[in-house]
Amino acid sequence: MLPNVLQPSATDHVPVLADQVRESLAVRPGETVVDATFGAGGHAALLAADLQGRGKLIAIDRDPTARTYFARFEKRAGVQARLLSGDFCAVLQQLSENGVRADAILLDLGVSSMQLDRPERGFSYSVDAPLDMRMDTSQDLSARDVVNEWPERELVTIFRRYGEERFAKQIARAIVRRRKEQPFERTGELVDTIKCAIPAPARFGEGHPAKRVFQALRIAVNDELSSLEAALPAALEMLRPGGRLAVISFHSLEDRIVKRFLRERERGCTCPPDFPVCVCGHEPELRAIERRPVRPSQAEVAANPRSASARLRAAVKTGAPE
Ligand SMILES: C[S@@+](CC[C@H](N)C(=O)[O-])C[C@H]1O[C@@H](n2cnc3c(N)ncnc32)[C@H](O)[C@@H]1O
C-alpha cells in the first residue's frame, strides 16, 4: 500500500510491477539508490520510502519535463535526492567514473504515460499531433526527420528490426511516394499512409495498424537499444558487490538485450568443456534473482493495461562487500 502522500493522481504514470521492483531491489535504510528512468517518480517514491529517511536517491531522465515531477518528489522524498538530466548510459558512466557507487539501480524502459498522453510530443498514433517522438526535446533528430529524410531501405530496416512489421517494405514505399509530393508534418498523415499501404485484412488484426511503425520510429529517434546496451555494463560497474539491478522492458527487443547481458555476466568459467581444470579464472559478476522474467498479474493488467507487456529481470552483483 502506498503512503497517502505518494498516491498517484489520475494523470500520473502508474509504476508497473511496483511490489516486485521493491522486492527485487530490497532497498535498506542508508543505501544509495539510482532510478535511471525517473519519469513521474512513481517507482522513485516507493524506493525513497524504503530508505526510511536515511540514504540517497539519484534520479536520471533525458526528458526535461521530468524536472517538474522531480521538484514535487523532492519535497516529499524524505531523503537526499538529485536529478541528473541526460541519457542514462552517459550519466551512469560518468557517475561510475567519478567513483559514485550504488546499492540498487532501476531501469524502467520506454516512454512514460505523460509522454504518451501529451499529444504535442507526437508519440501516440491515436491523436493527430506534430511528428516528434523525442524524449530529450533538445535533441536534433525527430520522427519528422526520419520519416521525411531517411532512405527507403533504412526505413524498411527499422520497421522490420524495431517494429517487427510484416509490411515494412510496402509502408516504406508508400511513405517515400507520399513525401515526394508533400513532406510529413503530423502523426495523422503518417497513420493514414500506413493504413493505405497495408492489405485491408491486416488493418483489423494485431492491434492498431500504425502501432509497430510508431514503436520503430520511437526506438530509432531515441536510439533506445544502443542506450540500453551501453547502460547495462555501466550500471553493473556502478553497483557495489551485493548491489541489485532491476530492469523492466516492454518489448522483446529490449528484453532480449537484458536477458543476454544477465546470462553473459552470470557465467563463471568460460574454458572449453574438455579442459580438465579451469585456466580462465573467470568469475560470475551477477546472480539472477529469478530465472524467468516476472510478469504483471491479471489484476495489474486490468487496472493498468499499459503494464501488459512488462517484464522484470533482476540480478545481484556478486563479490565480497567492499
Ligand atoms: C516508463 S517511464 C518511467 C516511469 C517511472 N518509473 C515512474 O514510475 O514514473 C521511462 C522514463 O525513462 C526515460 N528514459 C527512457 N530512456 C532513457 C534514456 N536512455 N536515458 C534517460 N532517460 C530515459 C523516459 O524519458 C521516461 O521518462
Side-chain angles (χ1 to χ4, degrees), residues 1-8 22 42 45-50 76-77:
M1 188 63 187
L2 300 184
N4 244 353
V5 284
L6 302 174
Q7 293 287 359
R22 266 176 119 168
L46 299 170
L47 300 174
D50 289 343
R76 302 165 178 176

Side-chain angles (χ1 to χ4, degrees), residues 38-40 65-77 83:
F38 180 79
T65 64
R67 284 191 207 122
T68 316
Y69 292 93
F70 183 79
R72 188 183 70 172
F73 162 81
E74 197 181 15
K75 282 195 202 120
R76 302 165 178 176
L83 173 68

Side-chain angles (χ1 to χ4, degrees), residues 13-16 35-44 60-63 66 86-89 106 108-115 135 222 224 227 250:
H13 181 93
V14 181
V16 305
D35 183 344
T37 49
F38 180 79
H43 285 109
I60 304 171
D61 207 295
R62 64 184 1 183
D63 186 334
D87 191 323
F88 50 49
C89 69
L106 171 66
D108 173 19
L109 302 170
V111 275
S112 67
S113 299
M114 295 87 56
Q115 290 165 332
M135 289 185 192
N222 297 291
E224 290 179 35
S227 282
F250 287 86

Side-chain angles (χ1 to χ4, degrees), residues 139-207:
Q139 168 187 309
D140 285 338
L141 185 75
S142 71
R144 189 187 171 283
D145 303 322
V146 175
V147 169
N148 288 315
E149 288 162 27
W150 282 20
E152 184 173 333
R153 62 169 193 290
E154 268 188 64
L155 294 178
V156 175
T157 304
I158 62 164
F159 296 162
R160 276 204 190 123
R161 194 173 293 163
Y162 301 156
E164 300 177 90
E165 171 57 67
R166 269 193 302 152
F167 302 106
K169 251 186 168 169
Q170 291 90 323
I171 295 171
R173 195 180 310 133
I175 288 174
V176 170
R177 201 180 306 129
R178 143 88 214 227
R179 77 188 186 192
K180 276 188 193 142
E181 286 157 25
Q182 200 182 3
F184 287 87
E185 296 293 339
R186 307 198 52 92
T187 54
E189 298 161 357
L190 181 60
V191 170
D192 291 342
T193 304
I194 296 168
K195 280 185 181 161
C196 293
I198 62 180
R203 278 178 225 153
F204 302 102
E206 300 169 48

Side-chain angles (χ1 to χ4, degrees), residues 109 160-164 215 218-219 225 228 248-260 293 295 309-311 313:
L109 302 170
R160 276 204 190 123
R161 194 173 293 163
Y162 301 156
E164 300 177 90
Q215 172 179 299
R218 197 200 85 200
I219 293 175
L225 302 183
L228 176 60
I248 304 174
S249 54
F250 287 86
H251 53 76
S252 54
L253 300 163
E254 289 170 344
D255 187 52
R256 224 172 285 152
I257 292 172
V258 179
K259 180 176 160 186
R260 205 180 51 221
R295 310 284 307 268
S309 54
R311 284 174 179 74
R313 293 187 188 267

